[in-house]
Amino acid sequence: MLSLLGYGMIVVFMILIMTKKLSALTALTIIPILFALIAGFGGEMGEMMIEGLKKVAPTAIMVIFAILYFCTMFDTGLFDPIIRFFLRIIDGDPVKAVMCTALLAAMVSLDGDGSTTYMICVTAMLPLFKRIRLDPLALTCVVFLSGSVTNLLPWGGPLARVSASLKVESSELFIPLIPSMICGLVGVLALSWYIGIRERRRLGKLSIQTNAHGAVIEEDAESYLPAINEVNDELRRPKMFWFNAALTLALMASLVMELLPLSVLFMVAFAIALLINYPHLDAQRQRIAAHAPAALNQTSIFLAAGIFAGILSGTGMVTAMSNTLLDVLPQSWGPYLAPITALISLPGTFFMSNDAFYYGVLPVLAEAAKAYGIDPVEIGRASLVGQPVHLLSPLVASTYLLVGLAGVEFSDHQKYTFKWAFLLCMIFLGSGLLLGLYPVYSVAS
């Protein structure tokens, strides 16, 4: 019964947001409450929701200050050189624009944090996409897919969860995955080239010429949208460029080294950036007020996702859904549990949170696989195959940040990106099978 209610809740939620009957914030809050009441947990919902909120609170705080920090950096002009560089390299060619975006996302996402990647890449590239009239869904697609490849780094969330869940070394999981990740990145670049070719056929090539200062001097280009460098000069801090660049690099290094919790790092970095770039109190208040709506909009969705996850877990629906998932697998499929785990990870991590799948389902699969001589580390690697599809789940709050920054609908992003995310999963699976990462074992005698 709980399993049916759990899957029913997610299906109803998906239908409502994909048909745009409810916003993500409203659906994430109301739908789980209704299903919890149907399941008879009305008196216990409060504690479940608080538990869910506690788990997402650090992430929500991090997002608030990360948005404030990167928006402040944009105000100071830190990203202007990046935009000017890509304007000179791309010169209005959609193919170059999309491929450079994929490369930029791959480099930026090496810090292992999707939210940071989305904020930097969308902030840097969206004005360029608008200028040459590219589909913003192409931007969200390639940034998303590049990030899903580097999301498998040891300091990324999924691999760290697998390592903790199966009690195996991160290096045992990661090092054999490197060739498969390279194949995935090549696939993303090939897709970027294809999307760029398609956009070029639709739009043609817009030649954008710039002067030494990066200002657009092509008269025809001005007729499309405001210039890429059209900003409030009073906010720009060109003399502080190297300081801001050093501060941002130090922040990224600290994120990778985990010197402090992410939320604390962004709070400290934002405070320093605000103090140095805008020392006057009134200017600081204006910057906070200017970017507070964006921060509040994204954070509210994170908190609503916490309520959703709290009820899903607290009611026992996740456990029931996991058991149902395992019950449908016939015994004769045992020797194939590694590739089966890879395939299960697509719907498994889409309909469940990473925590639910990796801490709930994965240990059971790994234990069952031992009877067939399959090492837990092989099951662990296989479980990572579905991450590109997982990131399209409505339970992944960072994806709302991506679409919010790009100004596109979540459902439109899902429809545009899903087939490519599935193809990327198949590249991971195919390359992994060829490399022997997910082997098939003979039935133990």
Side-chain angles (χ1 to χ4, degrees):
M1 181 62 179
L2 283 177
S3 176
L4 290 175
L5 286 173
Y7 283 114
M9 179 170 70
I10 293 176
V11 169
V12 169
F13 171 80
M14 291 291 298
I15 291 174
L16 288 174
I17 65 165
M18 293 189 71
T19 57
K20 301 177 183 178
K21 300 294 184 182
L22 290 178
S23 67
L25 173 63
T26 306
L28 282 168
T29 305
I30 293 177
I31 299 304
I33 291 175
L34 291 177
F35 274 82
L37 290 172
I38 293 172
F41 290 94
E44 305 166 44
M45 280 195 305
E47 292 182 7
M48 296 176 189
M49 289 188 281
I50 292 297
E51 285 300 314
L53 289 172
K54 286 179 180 178
K55 290 181 179 179
V56 301
T59 302
I61 294 170
M62 184 273 290
V63 169
I64 290 174
F65 287 96
I67 291 175
L68 291 174
Y69 178 81
F70 284 109
C71 287
T72 299
M73 288 295 103
F74 185 80
D75 289 340
T76 65
L78 176 64
F79 298 109
D80 287 358
I82 298 175
I83 297 172
R84 291 167 185 163
F85 172 77
F86 280 116
L87 275 173
R88 288 193 294 269
I89 295 296
I90 293 168
D91 191 29
D93 185 355
V95 176
K96 293 180 181 178
V98 181
M99 292 193 71
C100 284
T101 299
L103 286 171
L104 177 65
M107 291 185 289
V108 173
S109 60
L110 289 175
D111 72 341
D113 182 66
S115 298
T116 304
T117 301
Y118 298 156
M119 284 183 283
I120 293 177
C121 293
V122 175
T123 299
M125 298 304 295
L126 183 60
L128 175 62
F129 270 60
K130 287 183 176 179
R131 167 155 300 282
I132 58 180
R133 299 175 295 168
L134 290 175
D135 189 347
L137 289 171
L139 170 63
T140 60
C141 177
V142 297
V143 169
F144 174 92
L145 293 178
S146 286
S148 71
V149 174
T150 46
N151 191 43
L152 301 180
L153 291 166
W155 50 87
L159 192 140
R161 287 180 175 89
V162 173
S163 177
S165 175
L166 300 183
K167 298 179 177 60
V168 296
E169 290 293 330
S170 296
S171 58
E172 293 184 60
L173 292 165
F174 174 66
I175 293 176
L177 280 176
I178 293 176
S180 188
M181 291 174 64
I182 293 173
C183 292
L185 184 57
V186 171
V188 173
L189 292 175
L191 170 64
S192 302
W193 175 82
Y194 170 75
I195 292 176
I197 290 291
R198 192 170 62 181
E199 289 292 286
R200 181 195 282 170
R201 289 172 181 167
R202 182 174 69 89
L203 297 171
K205 178 180 176 181
L206 171 65
S207 178
I208 300 179
Q209 300 177 11
T210 60
N211 61 21
H213 301 290
V216 178
I217 58 177
E218 177 74 24
E219 184 176 354
D220 290 338
E222 296 290 341
S223 65
Y224 294 113
L225 285 169
I228 198 74
N229 57 299
E230 185 178 291
V231 297
N232 187 343
D233 290 335
E234 295 180 359
L235 299 177
R236 285 308 195 239
R237 298 292 186 267
K239 294 181 179 179
M240 301 301 300
F241 172 80
W242 290 111
F243 170 81
N244 290 325
L247 178 62
T248 302
L249 288 174
L251 173 60
M252 294 299 101
S254 299
L255 291 173
V256 173
M257 297 169 64
E258 298 182 350
L259 294 181
L260 291 170
L262 297 186
S263 55
V264 176
L265 285 173
F266 274 109
M267 289 177 72
V268 173
F270 173 64
I272 294 173
L274 202 60
L275 179 63
I276 300 300
N277 288 283
Y278 306 102
H280 297 293
L281 189 59
D282 286 342
Q284 293 177 9
R285 288 172 176 167
Q286 289 173 5
R287 291 302 85 220
I288 293 173
H291 304 305
L296 177 61
N297 180 55
Q298 298 304 323
T299 307
S300 62
I301 296 177
F302 273 84
L303 295 175
I307 290 176
F308 190 101
I311 290 178
L312 195 65
S313 176
T315 56
M317 291 181 187
V318 164
T319 302
M321 293 163 68
S322 301
N323 292 335
T324 301
L325 190 63
L326 295 172
D327 288 343
V328 300
L329 294 177
Q331 284 286 101
S332 59
W333 291 11
Y336 306 92
L337 269 176
I340 287 174
T341 298
L343 293 174
I344 288 176
S345 70
L346 276 73
T349 58
F350 183 84
F351 287 107
M352 302 178 192
S353 67
N354 270 345
D355 286 337
F357 184 78
Y358 290 123
Y359 294 129
V361 177
L362 183 59
V364 179
L365 288 171
E367 188 64 29
K370 287 181 180 179
Y372 301 93
I374 304 174
D375 195 281
V377 74
E378 294 165 340
I379 295 294
R381 292 190 206 112
S383 70
L384 296 167
V385 166
Q387 281 303 299
V389 167
H390 160 72
L391 291 173
L392 283 173
S393 169
L395 300 175
V396 180
S398 62
T399 307
Y400 294 105
L401 176 63
L402 171 65
V403 298
L405 290 170
V408 301
E409 291 291 335
F410 185 91
S411 57
D412 293 336
H413 171 66
Q414 280 186 318
K415 293 173 185 175
Y416 187 97
T417 306
F418 183 82
K419 58 181 176 294
W420 306 122
F422 180 82
L423 179 60
L424 181 56
C425 291
M426 294 301 102
I427 291 175
F428 284 152
L429 178 59
S431 60
L433 288 172
L434 290 174
L435 293 167
L437 300 183
Y438 328 124
V440 176
Y441 285 76
S442 300
V443 179
S445 56

